[in-house]
Amino acid sequence: MISIHNITKHYNGVQVLHIDNLEIKKGERVGLVGNNGAGKTTLFSLMLDLIQADTGEISINGVKVQESENWKYFTGSFLDESFLIGYLTPEEYFYFIGDLYGMSKVDVDGFIAQFAAFFNGEILGRNKYIRDLSKGNQKKVGIVGALIGNPELLILDEPFANLDPSSQFRLKDLIRQLMNESGMTILISSHDLSHTVEISDRIIALEKGKIVKDLTTSPETLEELTAFFAV
Amino acid sequence: MFLRLLKLEWKSFFRSASFGKGISVKILLGFMGLYFFLVFLSLGVGLYPLMQKIYPQVEPILVVNNFLLLWFLGEFVLRFMLQNLPVLDIKPLLTKRIQRSQIIHHILFKTSYSFYNILTASVALPFVVGYLNRDSFSATGLIAWLLAVISIVYAVNYFNFWVQKRFSNNLKALIPFIVICSVLIGLEYFKIYSVSTLFGRFFDSILQYPLLALIPFGLALCSYRVTFRDLKTNLYLDAYLVQGQVVQRASDLSWTNRFGALAPFLQLDLKLIWRNKRAKTAVTMCMVFLAYGLFFYGNPTYDGSGMLIFVGVFMTGIFVINFGQFIPAWDSAYFPLFNTRPITMSNYLESKALLMYGSVLLLTLLSTPYVYFGWDKVYVNFACAMYNMGVNIPVILFFGAYNRKRIDLSHSSMFNYQGIGIAQWLVGIPLIFGPIIIWFSTRALINHNTANLVLIGLGIVGLLLRKIILQALAKLYKEKRYAMLEGFKQKD
């Protein structure tokens, strides 16, 4: 699904990312862990063609992201609030994104109805602009927005941050369900080791821009990661 | 403590992200301020002879007194619209070990040396100094008069904040005041009873009995006290510190569906304009500029000059200039979304162009009453409108590709230079001077009518080639996308 070759990225002469080779297969659930500044968001931004790599290339489904926009039709993503349109209500935002995938209002309404539990009654029909929602609720809007259009690849940056405990559980269930039902490839970054281990079947740890661990999840993974990050 | 707060102020000024970049803008604003200061100062100096000339029988200061109320009312309205109390800046201080009242004294004190307070004083001071040399009134009386005027200025200063805070969320509560004001203005107008004369009489008597100046002085103290207490009881996150949450209005924009793939973008743009202060101001300005023709059409010196083109391009294209120059920065806050979703750049640009075509049509229609000044004016405006649509819109979109400045939509655009870079200054030159030069040289070489036709022709060519131009622009935007994304990330 995704192949990364010889990617490097520098800011002001400092190398922030260097990945020689990384292949992510279709249907994999990949958790990306690492401390602040490890390069998680940089890697995501490169995959989504939001920044330019200094060397190397990234392809999704065999097409280089820099050259073709094809990947946009099957990739859903939510990195931060710059993926939200603050002056729209959540409904209007979903309709707008649905429009881009040729979904009618009715289609979108039907689609978002399944997230009623995740929204916990705080998102829909509240007549509030997204910019006036709390950070956690904005995150929920962004995550569901990323799911519109039934993407084959889902990229989420720190989806658990700012979410309340119940929503964290609901999100985990949601991701599992998506995996089982649609075979979606999922890439998630997180600071929370246990959440990541719970939902991923492959964990990649980044440190200072390099891959330091690439594990298939097993009962010992959490221990191994905890030992690695403990100070 | 007070000093420490002042120090904080100093740092926030010099360390603000826009300080280095916006220095030229600050200098410009500084010059504007100096200009106004000098204008008011010379008004103060020239007030005595001026009044003497207009009302030769009456002592000038007595005439001035009669206009004082009107002056203060104007000052109040101006402040109400432009001057804000920066209460949000103090949010981080509230939980620190500083007395609440000290913080409030600090922000109120800060407004005391605002530019608005100096303006009236800069008129009154030279006026009074000029009077001191004449023996008409005692020095104590004149100084008391000055004190009274400055006191009222400060009363207006603090009273303005109180009114703003009190009524900004509840404009209906202002209705009684507006009714009272209208009644008083009505009484004044029909010469039944004049409040401004009463107010003036009071100032007349200050000149006689200087101690009366204590009343306005007390009023100033009172207004400070009232504002202080009001702030103190309301300086909470759910009161004055709440950052305006607006309940959304349902808007039915389904009529845009006829534009097919462009509809979602058009709807988004209309909501952008309607729901964001900055964009809204840009549109309101268009209505103001429609009156631009009045300054020129009545004046025979401009008849048949290049000025008509200037006015025509401006009136029919003000939205193109005001809104267009910030494409794509209007969408800067969510530009990454646009770059990760299946949005074709040419659709995006075409919807922006469509919006601008619509604005040109509407503004041209609205400017047709200028037919009063002659058919030739409407004809020239029509030529300018065609040129705006065919040529200026592509030009402004072209410059947009070099736009790297983020716009914060929630700020109003009055005196707001955020998002203005070198490209925005340059863009005005071809937009306005291009058609003037073309029109003028054709008119000089051939004739008036051909000059108009050339503008129309250029517009038609531009409209016919629209698709090709937009495709080329879309390609350019795509090439520049990384620089845009990078620039739009930078918050001031």
Side-chain angles (χ1 to χ4, degrees):
Chain A
M1 180 105 216
I2 306 175
S3 54
I4 298 174
H5 292 293
N6 192 28
I7 280 281
T8 58
K9 178 75 186 170
H10 295 78
Y11 282 117
N12 302 324
V14 180
Q15 193 176 61
V16 294
L17 197 68
H18 182 183
I19 295 176
D20 286 329
N21 239 318
L22 180 64
E23 297 282 338
I24 291 167
K25 285 190 281 296
K26 194 164 170 51
E28 268 188 316
R29 282 184 289 190
V30 181
L32 200 60
V33 292
N35 293 324
N36 286 331
K40 300 186 297 282
T41 309
T42 311
L43 179 58
F44 283 170
S45 302
L46 283 165
M47 285 179 180
L48 295 170
D49 193 36
L50 291 172
I51 51 177
Q52 262 176 311
D54 296 331
T55 64
E57 58 192 43
I58 295 179
S59 334
I60 300 182
N61 271 358
V63 185
K64 289 179 195 158
V65 289
Q66 266 189 296
E67 285 166 14
S68 158
E69 294 185 65
N70 224 350
W71 57 273
K72 291 181 183 174
Y73 289 90
F74 53 81
T75 306
S77 55
F78 180 66
L79 300 193
D80 54 33
E81 71 277 10
S82 68
F83 284 63
L84 296 171
I85 305 177
Y87 56 84
L88 297 184
T89 62
E91 285 94 336
E92 288 172 336
Y93 175 73
F94 297 139
Y95 295 148
F96 175 73
I97 294 192
D99 251 333
L100 302 176
Y101 294 93
M103 292 167 78
S104 72
K105 276 191 183 189
V106 183
D107 296 340
V108 174
D109 281 333
F111 180 78
I112 55 178
Q114 56 178 311
F115 301 106
F118 182 52
F119 286 153
N120 200 21
E122 288 168 33
I123 308 283
L124 299 176
R126 299 296 292 266
N127 284 351
K128 260 188 176 182
Y129 293 138
I130 294 176
R131 63 181 173 213
D132 295 332
L133 296 176
S134 71
K135 287 255 187 258
N137 283 337
Q138 284 183 351
K139 190 141 255 171
K140 290 181 189 175
V141 173
I143 291 170
V144 171
L147 290 169
I148 291 178
N150 286 323
E152 293 169 35
L153 170 65
L154 178 67
I155 298 180
L156 299 175
D157 194 12
E158 296 284 350
F160 297 108
N162 290 324
L163 286 189
D164 58 75
S166 303
S167 298
Q168 292 183 8
F169 284 112
R170 287 193 184 113
L171 180 60
K172 275 189 280 185
D173 289 341
L174 195 69
I175 290 171
R176 284 199 200 100
Q177 184 197 335
L178 285 170
M179 275 294 298
N180 298 337
E181 281 174 9
S182 63
M184 199 182 276
T185 313
I186 300 178
L187 249 106
I188 282 176
S189 80
S190 182
H191 287 305
D192 192 315
L193 299 176
S194 62
H195 279 323
T196 319
V197 171
E198 257 181 79
I199 53 161
S200 333
D201 39 38
R202 180 179 173 190
I203 303 244
I204 295 171
L206 281 178
E207 194 171 68
K208 295 192 176 138
K210 295 201 167 116
I211 297 181
V212 286
K213 282 202 185 297
D214 191 344
L215 314 163
T216 309
T217 315
S218 65
E220 293 80 41
T221 309
L222 184 58
E223 252 173 75
E224 193 179 340
L225 286 172
T226 314
F228 180 77
F229 283 107
V231 282
Chain B
M1 184 52 68
F2 211 71
L3 240 119
R4 233 179 267 170
L5 287 174
L6 272 182
K7 248 192 225 160
L8 210 61
E9 209 57 44
W10 184 258
K11 281 180 188 161
S12 87
F13 178 72
F14 281 104
R15 293 185 184 174
S16 78
S18 57
F19 178 72
K21 278 180 280 172
I23 196 81
S24 54
V25 167
K26 287 227 170 81
I27 291 174
L28 185 79
L29 280 178
F31 271 115
M32 254 171 70
L34 192 69
Y35 169 77
F36 277 115
F37 178 67
L38 289 178
V39 165
F40 277 69
L41 208 64
S42 39
L43 177 67
V45 175
L47 200 55
Y48 186 89
L50 189 76
M51 285 299 153
Q52 220 168 22
K53 209 172 150 195
I54 306 176
Y55 303 97
Q57 277 87 33
V58 200
E59 185 64 39
I61 198 166
L62 302 180
V63 183
V64 169
N65 283 345
N66 282 339
F67 285 104
L68 275 178
L69 186 67
L70 199 68
W71 175 275
F72 288 130
L73 194 72
E75 192 178 321
F76 179 74
V77 172
L78 193 74
R79 281 169 188 269
F80 189 76
M81 290 192 297
L82 296 177
Q83 195 184 13
N84 280 310
L85 192 64
V87 279
L88 279 175
D89 298 352
I90 57 164
K91 204 164 139 187
L93 294 176
L94 281 176
T95 51
K96 297 282 172 294
R97 233 189 268 175
I98 310 171
Q99 297 250 320
R100 207 161 249 269
S101 48
Q102 206 155 17
I103 300 173
I104 300 167
H105 279 309
H106 169 71
I107 47 170
L108 284 179
F109 176 76
K110 237 173 69 182
T111 67
S112 305
Y113 50 89
S114 104
F115 186 64
Y116 300 94
N117 294 337
I118 302 169
L119 285 183
T120 305
S122 64
V123 182
L125 192 67
F127 183 59
V128 166
V129 169
Y131 247 106
L132 285 174
N133 293 328
R134 301 184 184 90
D135 302 323
S136 345
F137 298 99
S138 71
T140 12
L142 285 167
I143 287 164
W145 184 86
L146 187 66
L147 177 78
V149 168
I150 292 174
S151 297
I152 301 266
V153 168
Y154 276 93
V156 170
N157 181 52
Y158 298 121
F159 186 61
N160 166 44
F161 296 130
W162 183 73
V163 173
Q164 272 187 7
K165 288 289 149 201
R166 244 344 38 182
F167 301 105
S168 61
N169 293 322
N170 184 14
L171 284 174
K172 271 186 211 134
L174 270 179
I175 290 175
F177 291 95
I178 294 170
V179 169
I180 292 174
C181 277
S182 329
V183 168
L184 290 180
I185 291 170
L187 289 176
E188 187 101 33
Y189 184 80
F190 294 110
K191 300 202 167 66
I192 300 170
Y193 184 77
S194 169
V195 203
S196 65
T197 316
L198 184 77
F199 196 72
R201 289 254 176 75
F202 174 70
F203 271 82
D204 295 349
S205 21
I206 289 176
L207 290 166
Q208 301 272 305
Y209 312 102
L211 272 181
L212 280 179
L214 286 176
I215 296 176
F217 187 71
L219 196 68
L221 288 182
C222 239
S223 69
Y224 184 91
R225 198 71 219 157
V226 165
T227 314
F228 176 84
R229 290 186 65 153
D230 186 53
L231 277 175
K232 196 169 175 190
T233 44
N234 284 298
L235 212 54
Y236 292 97
L237 291 184
D238 53 357
Y240 287 170
L241 294 179
V242 71
Q243 269 153 320
Q245 292 199 352
V246 208
V247 181
Q248 65 113 5
R249 280 157 285 233
S251 36
D252 182 30
L253 297 169
S254 49
W255 55 270
T256 54
N257 286 340
R258 75 188 67 177
F259 296 108
L262 303 182
F265 299 105
L266 272 179
Q267 292 178 2
L268 196 64
D269 278 332
L270 291 173
K271 284 171 190 162
L272 170 92
I273 291 169
W274 189 247
R275 296 178 182 177
N276 293 288
K277 223 173 174 182
R278 171 104 189 228
K280 219 174 177 176
T281 330
V283 175
T284 347
M285 290 302 279
C286 298
M287 295 300 131
V288 177
F289 273 97
L290 258 185
Y292 213 55
L294 292 174
F295 293 105
F296 295 95
Y297 292 154
N299 194 332
T301 37
Y302 297 121
D303 241 4
S305 80
M307 218 53 201
L308 290 182
I309 298 298
F310 179 77
V311 177
V313 169
F314 227 73
M315 280 199 311
T316 59
I318 182 67
F319 182 81
V320 175
I321 296 170
N322 252 347
F323 183 82
Q325 65 171 323
F326 296 116
I327 295 171
W330 291 118
D331 303 305
S332 56
Y334 43 88
F335 213 57
L337 176 79
F338 279 13
N339 278 275
T340 52
R341 295 285 170 176
I343 288 170
T344 49
M345 207 33 108
S346 54
N347 271 357
Y348 172 77
L349 290 176
E350 205 178 336
S351 75
K352 297 278 188 219
L354 195 63
L355 191 70
M356 290 193 278
Y357 292 143
S359 80
V360 173
L361 281 178
L362 187 70
L363 288 169
T364 311
L365 271 178
L366 288 175
S367 71
T368 44
Y370 282 123
V371 70
Y372 176 79
F373 294 99
W375 276 104
D376 57 316
K377 308 289 187 301
V378 178
Y379 185 26
V380 167
N381 278 346
F382 175 72
C384 291
M386 290 305 286
Y387 184 88
N388 270 331
M389 287 204 271
V391 184
N392 275 346
I393 289 174
V395 167
I396 211 157
L397 287 175
F398 170 77
F399 276 91
Y402 297 90
N403 196 327
R404 311 266 184 274
K405 301 267 183 171
R406 183 189 172 93
I407 281 186
D408 189 349
L409 288 168
S410 54
H411 288 102
S412 113
S413 72
M414 209 76 98
F415 296 112
N416 184 351
Y417 290 90
Q418 188 191 35
I420 293 188
I422 189 77
Q424 274 68 50
W425 294 108
L426 287 177
V427 74
I429 298 170
L431 286 184
I432 297 188
F433 293 102
I436 293 182
I437 293 167
I438 294 167
W439 188 82
F440 212 72
S441 39
T442 325
R443 204 182 72 120
L445 289 173
I446 313 168
N447 61 35
H448 187 98
N449 192 32
T450 321
N452 285 349
L453 287 176
V454 166
L455 286 189
I456 295 174
L458 284 171
I460 291 174
V461 171
L463 283 173
L464 288 176
L465 296 177
R466 183 175 102 236
K467 289 270 179 209
I468 300 167
I469 295 171
L470 285 175
Q471 293 292 343
L473 283 171
K475 208 166 150 249
L476 181 70
Y477 271 64
K478 238 183 247 167
E479 277 165 26
K480 304 280 177 200
R481 67 181 182 276
Y482 299 112
M484 288 182 196
L485 281 162
E486 177 65 28
F488 291 160
K489 242 187 344 196
Q490 313 288 325
K491 289 182 188 167
D492 277 347

